[in-house]
Amino acid sequence: EDQVTQSPEALRLQEGESSSLNCSYTVSGLRGLFWYRQDPGKGPEFLFTLYSAGEEKEKERLKATLTKKESFLHITAPKPEDSATYLCAVQAHGNSWGKLQFGAGTQVVVTP
Amino acid sequence: GAGVSQSPSNKVTEKGKDVELRCDPISGHTALYWYRQSLGQGLEFLIYFQGNSAPDKSGLPSDRFSAERTGGSVSTLTIQRTQQEDSAVYLCASNQLAGNTGELFFGEGSRLTVL
């Protein structure tokens, strides 16, 4: 069974204090790994798709990396507006497009 | 707006009642998805519609749950004889599969509370 585990569950950072979030996964043939950001009371917002080990994607202060067993979301010099819950999800070969297996998320709070 | 629209945003119902949740996808998006997010848990896939193909219902938790999509656009998720464990945020998403990057466009969700 496909499984996604995110750690830590919660992370409190000072503004400018860089850190990394972990997403460990087991899947029967990875089609893609996805990172989403979710603000309170809102739906998730797409950040990145990673397809193969060694791939990296960047967007502003965020950088996502992928290995055969896990993905990291690095937050460099975070700002308070980076406060959100970050969700990781995987899609397996053979599943319907959009049938994603999500982790429980990492809640990030960045204080000024 | 041009995003995915869901209604109602909040619904409180009594155990045993039926509820209907509505989703208006982004215009032109052929694929539509329903997910459920329970407190402290990850999103759980429920059902997927793509064009005129048979929907993927593999995530529906019981036969009390059903969904339809009319005219390839608006979708309704129906929960019959609601139970307290059905309390969750129900999220709808859509996308255009051509050139798919896996990006789903989510609505803000319908929060269901079953008393």
Side-chain angles (χ1 to χ4, degrees):
Chain A
E1 183 179 321
D2 302 338
Q3 196 164 8
V4 179
T5 303
Q6 293 189 244
S7 63
E9 292 183 7
L11 188 60
R12 192 173 184 89
L13 300 171
Q14 292 270 33
E15 186 172 0
E17 178 188 2
S18 301
S19 188
S20 295
L21 315 181
N22 178 265
C23 171
S24 297
Y25 65 91
T26 54
V27 63
S28 54
L30 181 70
R31 177 185 273 163
L33 183 141
F34 310 90
W35 283 98
Y36 281 80
R37 169 196 170 121
Q38 187 173 26
D39 293 305
K42 305 288 186 182
E45 177 184 344
F46 174 80
L47 292 174
F48 304 110
T49 305
L50 301 167
Y51 294 103
S52 57
E55 190 174 359
E56 299 182 352
K57 293 272 180 74
E58 283 189 72
K59 180 179 181 179
E60 296 181 353
R61 295 175 293 282
L62 300 177
K63 179 180 177 180
T65 62
L66 180 65
T67 73
K68 289 185 178 179
K69 293 184 178 180
E70 57 191 350
S71 176
F72 291 94
L73 183 67
H74 308 278
I75 310 178
T76 302
K79 298 183 177 182
E81 53 261 43
D82 295 323
S83 298
T85 296
Y86 291 87
L87 302 171
C88 173
V90 298
Q91 184 180 62
H93 282 295
N95 279 349
S96 303
W97 285 102
K99 183 176 180 178
L100 306 182
Q101 178 72 39
F102 279 85
T106 295
Q107 184 178 30
V108 174
V109 175
V110 182
T111 57
Chain B
V4 175
S5 178
Q6 292 189 244
S7 61
S9 54
N10 275 288
K11 176 72 176 180
V12 180
T13 191
E14 293 180 348
K15 179 181 172 180
K17 301 282 190 185
D18 297 352
V19 296
E20 285 190 351
L21 307 176
R22 176 189 166 105
C23 172
D24 253 300
I26 293 172
S27 177
H29 281 186
T30 57
L32 185 147
Y33 316 82
W34 284 97
Y35 278 80
R36 176 168 75 172
Q37 188 170 32
S38 302
L39 192 63
Q41 297 186 20
L43 277 74
E44 175 190 6
F45 170 83
L46 297 177
I47 188 168
Y48 157 65
F49 295 91
Q50 165 55 12
N52 295 321
S53 302
D56 178 350
K57 304 179 182 181
S58 60
L60 294 178
S62 77
D63 58 9
R64 295 187 295 105
F65 288 73
S66 63
E68 63 177 20
R69 188 178 185 192
T70 53
S73 181
V74 171
S75 176
T76 303
L77 177 68
T78 301
I79 309 173
Q80 295 179 310
R81 305 181 301 283
T82 52
Q83 303 294 312
Q84 289 184 333
E85 60 262 30
D86 299 334
S87 296
V89 177
Y90 289 82
L91 290 159
C92 177
S94 68
N95 68 359
Q96 181 61 272
L97 289 189
N100 181 42
T101 62
E103 178 175 5
L104 302 183
F105 295 83
F106 283 89
E108 295 194 345
S110 291
R111 180 177 296 277
L112 175 65
T113 303
V114 182
L115 301 177

